[in-house]
């Protein structure tokens, strides 16, 4: 009993879709979450590393500025002179020191000021409004000195602006310096007061996947931060790895490569990562189709039995698409496909018969049309050439007639071959015909035009329809360069472009109006003119020989010249 092919396939597919969906759901959810979380952590780790590198560069810049100030010879000399008891002298030294310090920090907006404290307790500041620095009143400075360190960054503290009316959040870099002459005597401490907001800017990580970011200094204080970090400073110090999983499933990222024991941490939020799974439908579809593919492999044997006739029809259709009509399918499935196979065979048989009839008719029609077009152009060409000979004979009686006649005879031998087997000639011969024609016209129009050739060597062995270029050259002379009072220029260019042969005939003659060009391309004839005969003839021959996709284009501007472009297949002459 015949069974529907649709019923066979649908029965199998519906039975497997449910299982494929369940498998895809489980695999996709598990795999996608793991990959997404790992990619997120790696991305945030890279951002943290970039922020740490920026902070480290900033620290190194502060340290470098401090070193440049304290090794300044003039500054060292002034500090030694400041040891004098003379009050006026100390005032002069203080102003000079202030001036030197300001030259180093004027362009650094993030440095609020520079303070120098000598071993004798005297202080100098770049800040105009800052009074004498009293260590006992600066708790952050006392904390730093009690630690026994000779250089480093202080805890965060406030700093009074140079205007004296604003308290700014700052971190100070403190460094003891020595007398550059001997290298042993400590002259005092240099203190650079740095903007805490500037530091916080470097520590800021633009990400919606972090639950918290923190920058901690050597003293355990948080210099900058956003959100919440789950671990305290003491716990952060105990972490040996740059990446740690926390009890709340968050991932803590740590970078301790900064100067002076600073630590930059970022905590990746597990909740935010899960939110990224809203894109899982796209990934899920991929897993779903993968699961269906696996199921298909297991069921291939059965499906193959069902679909084998379809494959046979498919292969036969491909062969027909390539032009092979000698195909026949044999399907014995006793269902709709068997009927389709018999119908297919009958259809191919009918197509083959009709194509043979159509090809025979088309061949005869094309040969007649080409013959008609070729015979149309030859009388016109012979008329113009004989007219040129008459004209030359009237005005000259010298040996040029021999040269002229030989060129004409050679040209006639090639252009008057109109038989069925003489439609094509080599490009080399076609160029020679054009050269002979131009030689003839150079006698008729002496010193009226020059010719330039740009012909790629590989195109010379290609085949072209006989008398293809000469009509275009003829129109370029008669209606272009010869029609204008000045000496004209004719250019012939032949090259291979994207698998086609492009032939360009260009002149700097009178040119044509846009309406005239349009009418020429549309094949409109102009009574009493030879202009349309050549253009229309060439256009029609290309269409009949090569079909659509090839032809002629005209670009012209009145008073400037005309450019005619022919495109035909790039085929070797055999």
């Amino acid at each position: 009993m015949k069974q529907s092919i649709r019923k066979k396939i649908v029965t199998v597919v519906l039975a497997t879709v449910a299982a494929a969906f369940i498998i895809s759901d489980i695999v996709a959810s598990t795999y996608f979450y793991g990959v997404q979380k790992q990619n997120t952590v790696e991305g945030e780790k890279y951002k943290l590393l970039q922020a740490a590198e920026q902070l480290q560069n900033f620290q190194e810049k502060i340290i470098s500025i401090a070193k440049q100030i304290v090794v300044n010879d003039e500054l060292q000399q002034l500090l030694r002179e400041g040891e004098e008891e003379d009050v006026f002298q100390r005032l002069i030294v203080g102003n000079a020191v202030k001036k030197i310090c300001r030259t180093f920090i004027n362009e650094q907006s993030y440095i609020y000021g520079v303070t120098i404290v000598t071993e004798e307790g005297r202080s100098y500041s770049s800040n105009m409004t800052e009074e004498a620095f009293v260590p006992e009143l600066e708790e952050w400075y006392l904390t730093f000195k009690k630690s026994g360190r000779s250089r480093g960054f202080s805890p965060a503290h406030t700093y009074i602006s140079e205007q004296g009316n604003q308290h700014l959040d700052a971190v100070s870099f403190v460094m003891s310096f020595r007398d550059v002459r001997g290298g042993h005597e400590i002259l005092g401490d240099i203190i650079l007061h740095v903007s805490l907001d500037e530091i916080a800017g470097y520590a800021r990580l633009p990400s919606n996947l972090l639950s918290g970011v923190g920058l901690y200094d050597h003293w355990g204080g948080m210099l900058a931060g956003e959100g919440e970090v789950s671990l305290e400073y003491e716990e952060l110090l105990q972490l040996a790895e740059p990446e740690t999983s926390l009890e709340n499933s968050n991932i803590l990222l740590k970078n301790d490569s900064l100067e002076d024991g600073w630590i930059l941490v970022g905590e990746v939020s597990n909740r935010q990562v899960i939110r990224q799974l809203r894109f899982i439908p796209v990934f899920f579809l991929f897993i779903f189709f993968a699961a269906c593919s696996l199921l298909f492999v297991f069921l291939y044997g059965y499906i193959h039995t069902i679909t084998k006739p379809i494959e046979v029809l498919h292969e036969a259709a491909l062969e027909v698409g390539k032009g092979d009509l000698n195909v026949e399918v044999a399907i014995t499935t006793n269902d709709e496909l068997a009927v389709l196979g018999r119908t297919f065979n009958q259809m191919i048989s009918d197509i083959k018969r009709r194509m043979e009839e159509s090809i025979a008719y088309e061949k005869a029609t094309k040969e007649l049309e080409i013959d008609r077009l070729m015979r149309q152009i030859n009388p016109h060409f012979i008329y113009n050439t004989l007219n040129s000979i008459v004209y030359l004979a009237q005005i000259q009686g010298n040996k040029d007639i021999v040269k002229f006649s030989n060129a004409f005879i050679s040209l006639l031998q090639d252009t008057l071959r109109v038989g069925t087997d003489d439609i094509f000639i080599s490009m080399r011969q076609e160029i020679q015909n054009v050269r002979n024609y131009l030689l003839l016209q150079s006698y008729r129009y002496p010193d009226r035009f020059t010719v330039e050739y740009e012909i790629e060597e590989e195109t010379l062995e290609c085949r072209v329809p006989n008398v293809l270029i000469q009509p275009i050259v003829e129109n370029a002379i008669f209606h272009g360069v010869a029609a204008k009072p000045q000496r004209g220029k004719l250019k012939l260019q032949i090259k291979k472009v994207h698998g086609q042969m492009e032939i360009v005939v260009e002149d700097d003659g009178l040119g044509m109006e846009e309406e005239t060009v349009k009418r020429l391309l549309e094949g409109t004839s102009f009574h009493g003119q030879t202009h349309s005969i050549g253009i229309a003839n060439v256009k029609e021959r290309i269409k009949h020989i090569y079909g659509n996709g090839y032809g002629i284009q005209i670009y012209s501007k009145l008073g400037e010249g005309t450019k005619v472009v022919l495109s035909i297949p790039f085929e070797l002459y055999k």
Side-chain angles (χ1 to χ4, degrees):
M1 180 178 179
K2 184 171 66 175
Q3 187 178 5
S4 169
I5 185 67
R6 176 183 298 178
K7 185 176 181 180
K8 294 178 183 178
I9 296 177
V10 169
T11 301
V12 176
V13 172
L14 290 180
T16 58
V17 165
F21 184 87
I22 296 173
I23 295 173
S24 299
D25 188 22
I26 297 173
V27 175
S29 300
T30 304
Y31 178 78
F32 188 87
Y33 176 77
V35 171
Q36 180 72 13
K37 187 169 184 178
Q38 184 60 35
N39 290 341
T40 300
V41 171
E42 292 298 324
E44 298 306 317
K45 188 186 297 183
Y46 178 73
K47 293 179 184 178
L48 191 76
L49 176 61
Q50 285 186 315
E53 289 177 351
Q54 292 179 341
L55 281 168
Q56 190 171 21
N57 291 336
F58 179 77
Q59 288 177 308
E60 291 174 354
K61 190 171 184 179
I62 296 299
I63 296 172
S64 175
I65 293 173
K67 289 180 179 179
Q68 292 178 46
I69 295 176
V70 298
V71 299
N72 184 273
D73 292 336
E74 185 181 356
L75 178 66
Q76 290 256 339
Q77 180 63 33
L78 288 170
L79 292 178
R80 288 191 293 270
E81 293 176 0
E83 297 176 2
E84 303 294 332
E85 295 297 330
D86 184 85
V87 175
F88 181 72
Q89 179 64 24
R90 290 202 300 271
L91 181 60
I92 293 175
V93 170
N95 289 334
V97 171
K98 185 189 303 289
K99 183 178 179 181
I100 292 173
C101 291
R102 291 184 70 86
T103 60
F104 283 93
I105 67 169
N106 273 341
E107 296 183 2
Q108 316 300 334
S109 59
Y110 51 82
I111 300 181
Y112 292 145
V114 178
T115 303
I116 296 178
V117 182
T118 67
E119 285 293 289
E120 291 75 23
R122 295 190 181 92
S123 65
Y124 304 92
S125 174
S126 63
N127 190 333
M128 295 294 186
T129 61
E130 185 176 356
E131 299 178 355
F133 185 81
V134 182
E136 292 78 8
L137 299 180
E138 303 293 342
E139 184 177 349
W140 60 269
Y141 184 73
L142 292 177
T143 301
F144 181 87
K145 297 300 288 185
K146 287 179 182 179
S147 68
R149 307 171 71 202
S150 61
R151 83 171 198 174
F153 288 90
S154 73
H157 60 88
T158 58
Y159 181 79
I160 300 177
S161 66
E162 190 162 358
Q163 290 74 21
N165 59 356
Q166 189 176 6
H167 288 72
L168 306 172
D169 293 328
V171 171
S172 297
F173 176 72
V174 183
M175 183 177 71
S176 298
F177 64 96
R178 301 177 183 275
D179 189 340
V180 294
R181 297 177 305 175
H184 299 291
E185 181 184 356
I186 296 178
L187 297 181
D189 292 337
I190 182 171
I191 308 171
L192 269 66
H193 306 288
V194 183
S195 167
L196 188 58
D197 289 340
E198 183 77 12
I199 296 173
Y202 288 114
R204 188 171 294 112
L205 298 179
S207 174
N208 58 355
L209 298 177
L210 297 177
S211 62
V213 180
L215 174 64
Y216 299 87
D217 60 18
H218 171 79
W219 316 96
M222 180 179 285
L223 298 178
E226 295 180 350
E228 296 183 0
V229 178
S230 300
L231 301 183
E232 299 295 333
Y233 176 73
E234 291 75 14
E235 296 175 298
L236 294 175
L237 291 177
Q238 297 174 5
L239 298 179
E241 300 295 329
E243 178 182 329
T244 305
S245 297
L246 304 180
E247 294 181 357
N248 59 4
S249 298
N250 289 355
I251 303 294
L252 188 74
L253 305 177
K254 171 186 172 184
N255 190 302
D256 54 5
S257 62
L258 300 170
E259 296 284 344
D260 203 42
W262 285 12
I263 300 175
L264 180 63
V265 298
E267 187 171 332
V268 180
S269 171
N270 184 62
R271 179 179 300 176
Q272 295 297 334
V273 174
I274 293 177
R275 288 183 179 179
Q276 298 299 310
L277 295 179
R278 64 180 180 272
F279 301 109
I280 199 172
V282 176
F283 186 75
F284 173 77
L285 286 175
F286 172 79
I287 296 298
F288 174 79
F289 287 117
C292 289
S293 299
L294 291 175
L295 288 172
F296 176 79
V297 171
F298 291 109
L299 297 172
Y300 177 79
Y302 183 71
I303 295 176
H304 178 73
T305 302
I306 300 174
T307 59
K308 181 61 177 178
I310 299 177
E311 294 176 3
V312 172
L313 282 170
H314 175 256
E315 294 297 330
L318 289 178
E319 292 300 319
V320 172
K322 296 176 182 178
D324 183 7
L325 297 180
N326 297 316
V327 296
E328 184 176 359
V329 297
I331 300 176
T332 58
T333 55
N334 194 32
D335 56 20
E336 293 91 341
L337 287 177
V339 177
L340 184 60
R342 291 192 294 271
T343 305
F344 178 86
N345 290 335
Q346 183 62 43
M347 179 185 67
I348 296 302
S349 178
D350 293 341
I351 291 176
K352 184 178 179 181
R353 177 175 53 81
R354 292 182 179 276
M355 284 191 66
E356 289 173 349
E357 295 173 354
S358 177
I359 289 173
Y361 175 80
E362 185 69 19
K363 182 178 180 181
T365 302
K366 182 175 291 188
E367 289 176 352
L368 290 174
E369 180 64 15
I370 292 175
D371 182 73
R372 182 187 68 80
L373 292 170
M374 288 292 293
R375 293 185 184 278
Q376 175 188 2
I377 193 171
N378 287 326
H380 165 69
F381 165 68
I382 293 172
Y383 172 79
N384 284 335
T385 305
L386 291 176
N387 190 42
S388 297
I389 295 175
V390 172
Y391 176 83
L392 182 65
Q394 290 174 345
I395 66 173
Q396 292 190 82
N398 54 40
K399 296 180 180 180
D400 287 338
I401 295 295
V402 176
K403 187 176 181 181
F404 182 94
S405 299
N406 287 336
F408 179 53
I409 292 171
S410 176
L411 192 58
L412 286 178
Q413 287 175 342
D414 286 301
T415 58
L416 293 180
R417 294 183 301 173
V418 194
T420 304
D421 298 331
D422 297 326
I423 294 176
F424 297 99
I425 63 172
S426 69
M427 177 60 78
R428 187 184 302 277
Q429 184 60 48
E430 178 74 3
I431 295 301
Q432 184 59 44
N433 293 341
V434 172
R435 289 180 183 273
N436 288 332
Y437 174 77
L438 288 172
L439 176 62
L440 300 181
Q441 295 305 321
S442 68
Y443 283 97
R444 180 175 182 180
Y445 302 103
D447 297 325
R448 296 301 305 278
F449 63 88
T450 59
V451 183
E452 178 183 345
Y453 297 92
E454 289 185 9
I455 303 173
E456 294 183 355
E457 187 68 24
E458 63 176 331
T459 64
L460 294 177
E461 302 306 323
C462 293
R463 72 171 191 170
V464 295
N466 193 12
V467 197
L468 180 71
I469 304 177
Q470 181 270 328
I472 309 301
V473 173
E474 178 182 353
N475 285 324
I477 293 176
F478 289 156
H479 305 284
V481 295
K484 74 173 190 175
Q486 301 88 3
R487 189 179 188 183
K489 180 180 179 181
L490 186 66
K491 181 178 180 181
L492 175 59
Q493 183 183 51
I494 303 176
K495 58 184 176 179
K496 181 180 180 182
V497 180
H498 304 305
Q500 297 184 9
M501 183 149 57
E502 184 176 279
I503 304 169
V504 181
V505 179
E506 186 174 0
D507 67 75
D508 60 355
L510 297 181
M512 295 179 286
E513 295 180 345
E514 184 177 347
E515 182 63 26
T516 303
V517 173
K518 182 178 179 182
R519 293 173 65 185
L520 284 175
L521 291 175
E522 291 174 351
T524 306
S525 95
F526 294 78
H527 298 294
Q529 299 183 22
T530 60
H531 195 67
S532 64
I533 296 177
I535 298 293
N537 184 281
V538 172
K539 178 181 177 183
E540 288 300 315
R541 279 199 289 148
I542 292 176
K543 178 180 178 182
H544 280 285
I545 294 173
Y546 299 113
N548 296 328
Y550 305 95
I552 182 171
Q553 292 178 304
I554 303 176
Y555 307 93
S556 185
K557 192 170 183 180
L558 197 62
E560 295 185 7
T562 302
K563 179 179 180 181
V564 179
V565 181
L566 304 178
S567 61
I568 63 174
F570 189 88
E571 300 173 343
L572 292 178
Y573 183 73
K574 297 180 181 180

